[in-house]
Amino acid sequence: MSFNPTGQGLTRRGLLAGAAGMAAAGLILPRGARAQEARRGGRLRIGHLGGATSDTLDPATYAAGPVVTAMLAVCNNLVEIDAKGQAVPELAEFEPDAEARVWTFRLKDGVTFSDGRKLTARDVIASFDHHRGADTKSGAKGSLEQVKEIRADGDNVVVFELTSGNADFAYLTSDYHFVIMPANEDGTLDWQSGLGTGGYVLENFEPGVRITLKRRDDYWKPDRAWFDEAVLLTINDATARQNALMTGEVDVINSPDLATLHLLQRRPGLQLVEVTGTAHYTMPMFCDQAPFTDPNLRLALKYAIDRQEVLDKVLRGHGQIANDSPIAPANRFFAADLPQRAYDPDKAKHYLKQAGMEGLKVEISASDAASVGALDMVQLFQQSAKAAGIDLTVKREPDDGYWSNVWLKKPFCVSYWNGRPTEDDMFSLVYARGAEWNESHWDNERFNELLLKARAELDEGLRAEMYREMQGLVSEDGGTIIPIFVNYIDVANDKVAHGEVASNRFLDGWKIVERWWQA
Amino acid sequence: MSAAEARRRPILRMIAGRLGIGVFTLFVISVLIFLAVSLLPGDIAQQVLGQSATPETVAAFRRELGLDQPLAWRYLDWVGGVLSGDFGRSLANGRPVADLLAARLGNTLFLAAYAAVIAVPLAVGLGLLAALWRGSWFDRIANVATLSAISFPEFFIAYILMFWLSVRMGWFPSIADPGASPRLAEMLGRAFLPAITLVLVVTAHMMRMTRAAVVNVLGAPYVTMARLKGVSRWRVVTRHALPNALAPIVNVVALNVAWLITGVVIVEVVFVYPGLGQLMVDSVTNRDIPVVQACALIFAAVYILLNLLADVLAIATNPRLLHPR
C-alpha cells in the first residue's frame, strides 16, 4: 500500500480554522468533540447556479443544480462519501462477499421518512429500480447495468447481485441519482411527494426560482442538520450571484466568476472554499477515424498543448494540470509517480514525423456549453500547436444542443466530466471498450483486461498497481487530451461555518445543507 | 342621444372586428411557434438528459411524453386542449402549464405595472415640459439624459444601479425575488431596482414622442389663436395641445408597456426576478413546447390587446380617426 487514501496533493485554500475544521469532519471524531463547535439554529441561504424552470424532483432527471443539493438534504443514500473521499455507511452498513459480486446492505434501525413511515427494503429496491429496465429515462441507467438482481431479505436487508465482481460498488450507491425515496404500493417510486429520510422536509419548491427546506425534529442522525431552515435560490447570472453574497442576501454561492475572484477575496468577512476534486476538461479524438488512428499523432497533439498556460489563463490558477488521465489526485489510486507531460513542441514534431503527418491540418469543435472557458482553451491550444507545426482550426459550435449534436458525433471536440469517486466508475463509463460514452472510441486490449481484473480485486495493493498501469495506458495510448483538473470553488460569508469539506462536488459534496452550521 | 349612439356603435364594431382578427393572429402565432420550436435541433429528451443522454433513455423519455407521435397530431392535440381551456402540462416537469404561468404572470404584471406607473407620468411630464420650454437648457438636459439611458444596454444600467444603490449604499436588495408569500410593501422594496432600470430604458421613447407630438400641435393656427386670446402657455399646452397630441402618445405608451411585459428577460435574470420571460427562455432551451406556446400566446395577446386599447383611446380623444378619409 504505497498510496495515501486521503489523496495527497489536495489543495485546500479554504480558510479553515484548523481545530474547528478537524472537529467537524463528520464521522471521524466522537460526537462530544464536535458538538461544541456546531450549533443548532439559524437559516442557510444559498445562491445556486444551475436551476431551471424545467427542474423536477424525479431523480432520473437530476443533473446538477439546486434540486440535487436540496434533495441530498431531504433524502439519504445508502452510502455517503466523506471528506476523505471514502465511502462510509449512511442508511445502511454494507458488506461484499469474497468475490465482491454479492453485496449485502443492512438498513440502520429507527430510520423513518418525514411522514412517519419506516424505511424498508422495498423503498430501497424501488429507488434503484427507478433507474433500471427498458422504460427508465434515467441518466444513471448505465451505472446499474452491472446489477443482475436486487432482492430483499426481510424488511431490513437488501442484496445486490452483480454480473461480475465490483469492489467499488458501495461508492456507486452514493451517487446522487440513488437517493432513497418511498415506494408506492405497486413497487414503483414515489418521487412526486418529495419525501425522504433526511434531516429536512421540502416546504416550497418553485422550479428555477427557489427551494425552501425546513428541519425535521426527529432526524435519525444526531450530529447533522444544524440549520432550522435552508433556502436555495437559483441565481444563474454570475455577477448577480456575487452581488447577492456581498449584499448579504445569501450566505453561500457556488461557481464565482474566476475573472473577479481576487477582488471578491479582498472583501472582509468572506471565505473562499476551494477543493480540487475530480472534475476535468477533456478533448476526445475518435481513435477509429483518420487521422486519429495513429497513436503517434495522438501523442503529438498531447505534447502540443501548454497545460500550464491553459491553467493560468483559462482557470486563473484555480485547478491543477492533468496528465491525460481522468484519475485525479483526489482519487484513491491516483498514480502520482507517473511523469507529468509538459508542453514540448519538439517532441510533438517528432511524433508528428513518426506518424508521417507533418503539416497536419485538423479541426476541433468547441463551445462554452461544454465547460467554462472551453473556447479560450482551444484558442490557446491553436497557438501552442502552431509552434509544433500543427494547423489546428477551431470550429465554433452553437451552445444550444452541444451535447446532443456535437459531442460523440464530431471526431475531435471539447468535453467535460465531473469525474467519479472511483477509478473503476470513471474508466468504465468513458474509457472501456464499447462504453456508451466512450467519447474517444478508444479500445485498448490490455486496458480492458485490467479493468475487469481490478474491478473484482479486493486487495488494495494489487488494485493500486493495476490502476497505476491503466493510468499510464490512458495517458500514453488513449485518445483523449486531458489538460486540466478544475477546482470546485464556493464562497461563503462569516455567518456560516463548516468542517473539512468533501472534494467530490461543489458545496461540500452537495451536502452543505446537512453538514454546515451557523457560526 | 342618437348622435352619441351612432358614435359609439362604430367603436364597438371596430373592437369586435379587431378582437376577431386578434384571435386569428393568435392561431397563426401558435402554428409558427410550434413549427419553430420543432425546427430547433434536439428535443426535450436530449436537452434534459444533456451529456447523460443515451439512445435508450432518450427513447424512453420520448415515449413517456408522447413525442414519438407525428408533429401535426401533437399540434391538434394541443389545440384541442386549449380550446377546452386546458393548456396541458409542462413536458419538463409535468406540472400544469396554467399553474406554472399563474405565479409568473402575476410577477411580470406587477413589475410592468410598477415601472409603468413611474415611467409614463415621468415621460409625459418631461415631454410636456420639454415642449413647453423647447430649446431651453431643460429641454436639452432632459433629451441627453433620457437618450443616454436608452443607449446603454439594460444589463449595464442594472449593474450600475446594483453596484451603487445595493452593494455600496445598501439601500435596496440586489435580489428581487420576493419569496414565497410576500407582502405588498416588501414587494415594492424588492422590485424597486428592476423597476427603475426599466423606467430608465422606456422613458426616452415616450418622452420624445410626447415632445414631438406636442411641439407639432403647438405650431397649429388654433394654438396661436389661443395665445393671442391671452391663454397662458401652460394652459395652452394642457388644454389645447395635449388632447390633440394624445393619439401618437397613447400608441407609444402602449408599445412600451407591452415591452415591459414581454421583453424584460435580461432584467429578470440580473435581479433574479421570477417572471414570464425567464420561464419562456428556459422553456425554449428545453424545447418544452406547451409552456413556450402558452407564453407566446400570452405575449401576443398582450400586444394585441394593448394596441387595441391604444386605438380605442386615440379614437376616444379624437373621434375624427373613426372616419378615415
Side-chain angles (χ1 to χ4, degrees), chain A residues 481-495:
Chain A
I481 305 171
I482 306 178
I484 44 177
F485 292 109
V486 51
N487 287 355
Y488 294 119
I489 307 177
D490 313 313
V491 190
N493 63 20
D494 50 11
K495 293 193 194 118

Side-chain angles (χ1 to χ4, degrees), chain A residues 53-56 135-138 205 209-210 233-235 237 240 243-244 247 249 400 405 407 416 436-437, chain B residues 41 49 51-52 54 57 60 63-64 92-93 95 104 159 162 166 173-175 177 179 190 270 272 282 286-287:
Chain A
T53 38
S54 55
D55 289 343
T56 84
D135 281 331
T136 187
K137 56 181 182 180
S138 174
F205 172 46
V209 182
R210 86 185 80 75
L233 283 178
T234 294
I235 310 180
D237 183 66
N243 280 334
T247 54
E249 294 285 323
D400 208 16
N405 302 325
W407 181 66
Y416 170 90
E436 197 93 59
W437 296 326
Chain B
L49 293 171
Q51 196 182 8
S52 57
T54 65
T57 52
R63 254 198 321 281
E64 186 186 307
N93 56 23
R95 296 188 167 198
R104 299 297 190 102
Y159 284 147
M162 202 194 270
S166 179
S174 67
I175 288 187
D177 176 24
R190 290 232 157 231
V270 169
V272 197
D282 274 355
N286 279 313
R287 323 288 189 249

Side-chain angles (χ1 to χ4, degrees), chain A residues 11-151:
Chain A
T11 56
R12 287 206 16 82
R13 267 165 260 184
L15 300 177
L16 291 183
M22 282 311 295
L27 298 145
I28 320 167
L29 288 183
R31 213 185 315 153
R34 183 177 49 248
Q36 302 155 356
E37 299 296 336
R39 57 196 182 96
R40 179 70 55 76
R43 187 158 84 130
L44 172 69
R45 296 159 306 162
I46 306 174
H48 213 303
L49 166 72
T53 38
S54 55
D55 289 343
T56 84
L57 295 177
D58 183 356
T61 62
Y62 288 177
V67 175
V68 180
T69 309
M71 291 316 278
L72 284 178
V74 171
C75 303
N76 300 112
N77 284 68
L78 292 180
V79 169
E80 71 176 315
I81 307 289
D82 69 7
K84 304 267 177 235
Q86 300 285 353
V88 295
E90 190 171 18
L91 282 175
E93 304 285 344
F94 52 88
E95 201 183 340
D97 69 347
E99 297 165 320
R101 202 178 67 79
V102 179
W103 285 73
T104 309
F105 287 80
R106 208 169 297 276
L107 299 182
K108 288 183 180 165
D109 279 338
V111 178
T112 56
F113 287 101
S114 50
D115 62 350
R117 259 181 296 171
K118 193 175 165 303
L119 170 74
T120 68
R122 280 188 69 233
D123 304 315
V124 176
I125 293 175
S127 299
F128 279 86
D129 278 349
H130 189 59
H131 307 276
R132 288 166 15 111
D135 281 331
T136 187
K137 56 181 182 180
S138 174
K141 187 182 179 188
S143 318
L144 290 185
E145 237 130 55
Q146 56 181 302
V147 176
K148 198 157 93 186
E149 195 198 349
I150 311 177
R151 57 174 183 268

